Amino acid sequence: TLGIPHSSVALIESSGVAFRLASPAEGVADLEQGGVLPFPSTVLSEVVKGSEPRYRSDLRAESTDYEVDRKLIAAGYLSDYLVPLTHEGECIGTLNCASPNVDGIPEDTRRLVRLLAPRLAGYIANARLFDELEASERRLRTLISNLPGAVYRRDADDEWSVQFVSDEMERLTGYPAGDFRGGAGWTYSSLVHPDDLERVRRIVADAVERKEPYVLEYRIVTAEGREKWVYEKGRAEYGEDGAPLWLDGATFDVTDRKLAEQALKESETLLVEAQRIGRVASWDWDVARDRLTITQELHNLLGTDEATFTPNAASFLERVHPEDRERVAERMNAALKRDEPYNVQFRLEQPGGAVVHLHSIGHVDRDDGGKAARMVGMVQDISDRIRAEEERRQLENQMRESQKLESLGVLAGGIAHDFNNLLVSVLGGTELALQYIDSSSPAREHLEDVMTAADRAADLANQMLAYSGKGQFMVEPTDLSVLIREISQLVEVSVSKKIRVALELAEDLPAVQVDVTQIRQIALNLVTNAAEAIGDKAGTISIATGSVHWARDYLAEGYAADEARDGVYVYMEVTDSGAGMDSQTRENIFDPFFTTKSTGRGLGLAAVLGIVRGHKGAIRVESEPNLGTTIRVLLPASDQTPTQRAPEPVPDEEWQGNGTILLADDEPTVRSVAHAMLSRLGFKVLVAEDGKEGVEMFRRHADEIVLVVLDLAMPTMGGEEAFREIRRIKSDAKVVLSSGFTEQDTTNRFADRGLAGFIQKPYRLAELTRTIRAALES
């Protein structure tokens, strides 16, 4: 082992010969300091100057610090052989041999020394270069550590791998620089703000691909969760194959500049806007003396004058809305202490109780010592903008609510349609079975229970159709007061005897185009909810009617007002003396199955909402806790005269028909039950599984078919298309349409086409008989 080449260090000991290295300056320096060498300085100097080997055999051994020499001192005289070490023509040291043999050093030892000399010279030269590189690296690290930015090197193909980062990164990010270099989880790219990360990636990737430097500004998130703006510049280093090896760059904190630019931009925007609307106020606060000077415009906003306003910060803060006061004070202190921009929106309470919304910005002037001396700024009244934003939010909420209700309505309508198809077989099949069972049979009672349950299921399906807005049956001009008076007895018996029902019905009301059955359902649902709000206590339910001209703005504040327009409306108003509702309950009362009781029992007010929407009306609700509730249903007035409704005819259960009826329906259970019903009425029945098969069957038997019962929704060919094809074959063909949806929703598409009749699913034998008979006799 050679050891350190720049000092006289013993190398090896072999056959009594000692080897050592010496630098050119070592001998001279040691002699100047009074040191003693085991050989005269003249010999070393001659060797260095002459760059040739020298040999002396008359050296006297003296004391030495080298352990290997101590074994040779006892000999008294030493033979010494010095070989110069040269590199690129320069003597950079000597290789020394010493032996106690006064006859000199053996030739083979001298040959070995001469062979070692060139290798040692190269080694010493490289060692010097290494020392210089170390010194250069130390200087570079010192320079980097004094830079204002964080210097880094990271892999070009792995944004999460950092090779080097300077200590400045710790001050910038709050994370120890060693975490980056040690791969402890905090990496360069993970610091980038999520909203800026994709942009940073794109810019860097594009620059690397074009082999150009990249320059960008973005936000980072520090260890404390603060956002900072940074400016970064860097470029990639590439290998011989042109592929990027790593990215070298520097990142600088430019948060103060960005905040200043933002404050300036907002200040300019505020000034331009203030000049545009002509309302701007300014203020000047002498921080040291706490003296506030404000313009007349700000006095107007505060509702003060110079005589009634104490000109200091505390007096101003007293005028700020209590909920905003602490936030405004914090922004002021941040501007004074941390040089953060003063930019705040807040509410101001005027002496009369009015509240205005203000936007204020300002900046701080400091004295030579850096202490805040004064703060100046301006204020803009943004009340109109805040109101406009609030109106926009309300409109968006109404649109979302409308879309939600529309989606639920579509779902409810689809379910009700399918549900009604299934109930045809339940109701019809059970009714047919009852006709074949003797009244004394034990099975009859169970079948009647099935009929009762199926009827309730049909009512629920009708509620779902009502909620979907597709529940309009038999629309006719109706006097709402007359209708309420007709059902008043039913209303009274449906509530507790402790509750008094009061009627306040207007006379000579304009007619409303409504389905009487559904309006009855609205009235009964509202009265039932009112009674439940009163509970077991004594109370009053008032039902009032009237008419009034209302504007769209009034109606828009209610529910289901999407299609409501300005004009005359007839209203039904149900008021109770019950517990009332808070705001949260009022927002949810029209949701399906919502209830304030332990369990929901149906669609309730959701069905009312659907019915009103289907009639292009609106609903308004007024209620407060412990103050009762008023629900007003508004329906557009009609210029038609209310019709006098005749009692429904009693069906002739013994009526029988003859001829052939074509039944087309895609539901097997419906086909089976309807076939049995029509056969019982005395008809021959042809059955088709869809519209296309029905058309082909009608083409073959057109002369004998007296009536077609056609389902509206079928695959391959729907009922509407099948109706057109049947009419092309025989223009006077009688067609009865069948659907799980209601008559008005279904038959609107067949207006003026000569439809012979409509029957809604689920239907019983009596309803089918009445519809078939009326179609054939028309």
Side-chain angles (χ1 to χ4, degrees), residues 713-732:
M714 292 183 291
T716 309
M717 180 184 290
E720 188 173 1
E721 185 179 357
F723 175 82
R724 289 196 300 266
E725 293 298 323
I726 289 173
R727 278 301 181 89
R728 287 193 184 99
I729 298 170
K730 187 176 182 181
S731 60
D732 61 346

Side-chain angles (χ1 to χ4, degrees), residues 384-400:
D384 292 343
R385 192 185 79 191
I386 295 297
R387 281 192 291 269
E389 291 176 352
E390 181 62 29
E391 291 174 359
R392 178 180 57 80
R393 283 193 294 269
Q394 290 180 357
L395 181 59
E396 290 176 350
N397 290 337
Q398 289 176 356
M399 290 179 62
R400 283 194 294 270

Side-chain angles (χ1 to χ4, degrees), residues 181-481:
R181 293 191 289 262
W186 298 112
T187 61
Y188 174 73
S189 291
S190 64
L191 294 172
V192 181
H193 192 285
D195 293 343
D196 297 344
L197 184 56
E198 289 304 318
R199 177 173 59 87
V200 171
R201 285 172 171 163
R202 185 180 64 256
I203 292 175
V204 173
D206 291 346
V208 171
E209 184 176 356
R210 295 193 305 268
K211 297 187 177 181
E212 296 176 355
Y214 52 87
V215 179
L216 65 159
E217 289 184 352
Y218 59 91
R219 291 166 295 173
I220 64 171
V221 181
T222 68
E224 297 81 15
R226 291 182 56 195
E227 289 186 10
K228 284 186 177 182
W229 277 95
V230 296
Y231 168 85
E232 183 173 323
K233 185 174 184 179
R235 68 177 304 145
E237 292 293 333
Y238 302 87
E240 294 180 357
D241 58 354
L245 299 175
W246 58 75
L247 304 180
D248 290 334
T251 307
F252 302 88
D253 187 351
V254 293
T255 303
D256 292 342
R257 175 174 65 79
K258 293 293 291 187
L259 291 177
E261 290 175 354
Q262 181 180 353
L264 178 61
K265 183 177 180 181
E266 292 179 351
S267 175
E268 292 173 347
T269 303
L270 178 59
L271 182 58
V272 170
E273 179 66 14
Q275 291 173 344
R276 184 184 68 81
I277 63 177
R279 289 185 295 174
V280 62
S282 60
W283 48 270
D284 188 334
W285 180 30
D286 186 334
V287 179
R289 294 186 297 171
D290 191 19
R291 182 173 181 80
L292 183 64
T293 303
I294 64 176
T295 61
Q296 184 59 46
E297 289 80 4
L298 188 50
H299 272 303
N300 295 339
L301 290 172
L302 292 170
T304 61
D305 53 40
E306 294 183 359
T308 60
F309 179 69
T310 304
N312 58 34
S315 298
F316 173 76
L317 287 173
E318 287 178 359
R319 300 282 181 173
V320 176
H321 193 283
E323 295 179 2
D324 299 341
R325 194 171 296 156
E326 183 178 353
R327 179 165 53 86
V328 173
E330 288 178 353
R331 297 289 177 86
M332 294 173 61
N333 291 330
L336 294 174
K337 296 179 181 179
R338 298 193 294 272
D339 268 344
E340 294 184 6
Y342 177 72
N343 188 337
V344 63
Q345 292 186 16
F346 59 94
R347 290 165 293 176
L348 195 72
E349 290 187 322
Q350 295 180 329
V355 175
V356 294
H357 294 263
L358 303 179
H359 179 199
S360 180
I361 62 173
H363 72 273
V364 177
D365 292 334
R366 300 186 179 276
D367 56 25
D368 295 338
K371 187 175 180 180
R374 61 195 293 259
M375 189 173 178
V376 296
M378 62 180 65
V379 177
Q380 179 188 0
D381 184 354
I382 58 171
S383 299
D384 292 343
R385 192 185 79 191
I386 295 297
R387 281 192 291 269
E389 291 176 352
E390 181 62 29
E391 291 174 359
R392 178 180 57 80
R393 283 193 294 269
Q394 290 180 357
L395 181 59
E396 290 176 350
N397 290 337
Q398 289 176 356
M399 290 179 62
R400 283 194 294 270
E401 182 68 17
S402 176
Q403 290 169 353
K404 181 185 74 173
L405 293 175
E406 183 178 355
S407 298
L408 288 173
V410 172
L411 175 64
I415 293 174
H417 172 268
D418 293 342
F419 201 36
N420 282 334
N421 268 331
L422 296 174
L423 287 174
V424 170
S425 61
V426 176
L427 279 170
T430 306
E431 186 176 25
L432 289 173
L434 283 170
Q435 295 183 8
Y436 292 101
I437 296 180
D438 187 82
S439 60
S440 61
S441 173
R444 189 173 187 85
E445 181 179 355
H446 298 299
L447 289 174
E448 290 175 346
D449 289 341
V450 172
M451 289 287 291
T452 301
D455 283 335
R456 291 178 180 174
D459 289 340
L460 179 58
N462 287 333
Q463 287 190 48
M464 295 173 74
L465 286 173
Y467 177 75
S468 70
K470 298 178 179 179
Q472 300 178 10
F473 313 101
M474 304 296 294
V475 175
E476 58 184 283
T478 303
D479 185 321
L480 198 57
S481 292

